[in-house]
Amino acid sequence: MTTVKTLLEIPELRLRLRTGAGQLGRAVSRIYVTELPDPSRYVSAGEVVLSGLLWWREPGDAGPFVAALARAGVAALAASGADTGGIPPDVVQACAQHRIPLLEVPADLSFAVITERVVLELAAARGREPSGARKRLLAAATEDISLPALLRQGAIELGAPCWVLSGTGRVVAGTAVPPEDLVAHFVPGREVTVHDGYALIPVGGSFAVPWLLAVAQPEPGELAAELAELVRLARARADQVRRMSGRAAEPLLQALADGGPVGDAFAASGLPADTEIRVLLARAPDENPALAAEVLAELLAEARPLVGVVGEDAYALVAGPGNWMRAAAEALTRLDRLMSLSRFHLGSGGPASVDGLHGATQEARHAVELAARRGGRIELVAGEDIAVHQLLAAGAPDELRRSVRERVLGPLLAYDAAQGTDLVHTVRVYLECSSSPTAAARALHVHVNTLRYRIARASKLLGVDLNDFVTQVDVYLALLVTV
């Protein structure tokens, strides 16, 4: 059996115990990498949680994180203080309070080395000598951490082509061309889904967006499950790299969100200065920006976006040409079947040069706000598809929207409420029909004289001439600013 003490005794890991000497006998079942501020949905009993403390920003952050680990019954927390100037004192205190062993990871030791060494230790402790195939597979994972190389070795040992597929339908890696739309046949909740001679195995991990291991075998064995576990570790490493890139992009994203100067922050981001850039902004269920960022990164994976979080919003910066909103819409349709997102709104701005990034960010913000006001569970709005009047209306604060709507339309709204009529709708249709009584009457299925009477009545109530162009603009904008 592998215990926390076993890990401390592995010389090449050089782990140092910071607290929890009385809990070193806890059994270890697997290793999990996470940087989520609230990992409670993903961790489980017996796991060693490996973290670079990217979720820690200030004293007090450690309490909720460690409490979630304790509730789940994790075996230990292995943490690196490379990005926080050492292990913060409140992390040590929280682990001591919740009786969670805290293992400090040397700053110069990569998470890849730790995960692979722990996997090998767990494999050796399962009570039997690993088979030759398993030894070679584990050796491949240790020697070459790239996912394509791992799948190539997996295909050799399994004697069948295999692929890693994202829930979006994207082929993450593979050894051949996979059957079309194989992900659509996966049944969520099953350990293995078999379809037309192919097996689909969920790749576990603390990820919102699911990945699947597909093997061209109807009855995959234990080796396929072992490969899925190694894929999980490879994904955890890639996710750590993504989060580190997001941390590097934070100054630029913060500058765009606050309207500050972007020059130095852009230079440090690694984005090409001579390429136009699109700004995408996403908001997810329960104001969970980390989930939104993960979904956004997966939707745009082929564009290699720079993804990060500012406040309650997830941002992605995509360099170069491409209709990424259309690609995101198609991928999100597939993903929703597996994830059942309760809400996801996405807006885009640009493309723009460095000098125009602030404008593109504002456009993306107005687009996502317009997406939210559409009322759908999942909505995507591209900034270039928004008419100017919609863009102006979407950017108004809620207090101003209420004030404008009441000031311009108040008498009409009150009349409709008292009389049970819908003159507001009549006026909107009339204006959208370019003030044509004939076209508006046809759209409302009423006689043209009835339409004229209603417009005259509305004009009297509002105290304006609805045939005046400037008045029409004011009234129509007021009709748009529904809070």
Side-chain angles (χ1 to χ4, degrees), residues 83-422:
D83 293 307
T84 53
I87 304 294
D90 71 324
V91 175
V92 180
Q93 294 165 6
C95 287
Q97 177 186 348
H98 293 283
R99 298 173 59 81
I100 296 292
L102 175 60
L103 316 180
E104 183 171 1
V105 177
D108 62 341
L109 188 64
S110 76
F111 281 13
V113 171
I114 298 171
T115 53
E116 288 157 3
R117 184 63 182 83
V118 172
V119 167
L120 290 171
E121 182 66 35
L122 291 170
R126 283 174 179 161
R128 63 183 185 279
E129 180 70 15
S131 67
R134 288 184 65 213
K135 282 183 177 179
R136 290 189 294 271
L137 198 56
L138 289 168
T142 303
E143 295 167 3
D144 190 334
I145 63 173
S146 74
L147 190 55
L150 178 60
L151 284 185
R152 285 195 296 272
Q153 187 64 40
I156 293 172
E157 302 302 339
L158 291 168
C162 52
W163 307 265
V164 173
L165 308 174
S166 166
T168 64
R170 177 175 67 96
V171 180
V172 181
T175 55
V177 178
E180 187 175 352
D181 211 15
L182 192 57
V183 173
H185 300 284
F186 175 69
V187 180
R190 287 189 183 177
E191 291 188 7
V192 180
T193 299
V194 177
H195 170 74
D196 196 24
Y198 294 87
L200 296 170
I201 304 169
V203 174
S206 56
F207 307 102
V209 180
W211 276 14
L212 306 171
L213 173 65
V215 182
Q217 290 178 340
E219 298 182 4
E222 188 176 316
L223 190 61
E226 188 78 38
L227 178 59
E229 173 65 11
L230 294 174
V231 170
R232 179 187 73 82
L233 294 174
R235 184 182 187 184
R237 291 192 294 267
D239 189 65
Q240 183 191 11
V241 172
R242 177 185 70 80
R243 291 178 184 277
M244 293 299 293
S245 298
R247 177 67 70 88
E250 281 182 2
L252 174 58
L253 298 178
Q254 191 70 59
L256 293 175
D258 296 342
V262 301
D264 293 341
F266 186 90
S269 71
L271 288 168
D274 57 347
T275 303
E276 290 194 320
I277 295 169
R278 289 188 183 273
V279 180
L280 294 97
L281 193 154
R283 293 173 181 166
D286 304 320
E287 305 300 324
N288 187 338
L291 184 147
E294 182 184 331
V295 173
L296 195 53
E298 190 66 30
L299 293 178
L300 304 170
E302 294 183 2
R304 299 181 180 276
L306 198 60
V307 179
V309 171
V310 178
E312 298 299 326
D313 296 329
Y315 288 81
L317 303 181
V318 182
N323 193 339
W324 298 112
M325 283 295 281
R326 177 181 295 175
E330 294 172 354
L332 193 58
T333 299
R334 299 188 188 95
L335 183 60
D336 183 47
R337 189 183 73 84
L338 301 182
M339 288 186 64
S340 298
L341 285 166
S342 61
R343 183 172 58 84
F344 189 85
H345 298 146
L346 178 63
S348 72
S353 63
V354 177
D355 293 337
L357 276 181
H358 276 304
T361 302
Q362 289 294 325
E363 189 177 29
R365 184 174 296 111
H366 296 331
V368 80
E369 288 169 357
L370 181 59
R373 288 190 168 93
R374 286 181 174 179
R377 185 172 58 87
I378 296 177
E379 296 282 359
L380 295 85
V381 175
E384 62 261 38
D385 295 336
I386 306 175
V388 173
H389 65 273
Q390 292 176 310
L391 193 60
L392 293 174
D398 284 348
E399 294 79 5
L400 179 59
R401 298 164 75 89
R402 293 189 186 94
S403 175
V404 168
R405 186 171 175 81
E406 181 59 32
R407 176 170 59 83
V408 178
L409 300 176
L412 200 58
L413 294 168
Y415 180 85
D416 278 348
Q419 301 297 322
T421 55
D422 198 0

Side-chain angles (χ1 to χ4, degrees), residues 4 7-21 24 76-81 85-87 92 101-107 109 114:
V4 177
L7 303 186
L8 281 168
E9 293 173 347
I10 299 176
E12 58 264 43
L13 295 186
R14 296 178 282 125
L15 300 175
R16 182 164 72 97
L17 181 67
R18 296 295 301 274
T19 185
L24 297 184
L77 169 63
S80 170
I87 304 294
V92 180
L102 175 60
L103 316 180
E104 183 171 1
V105 177
L109 188 64
I114 298 171

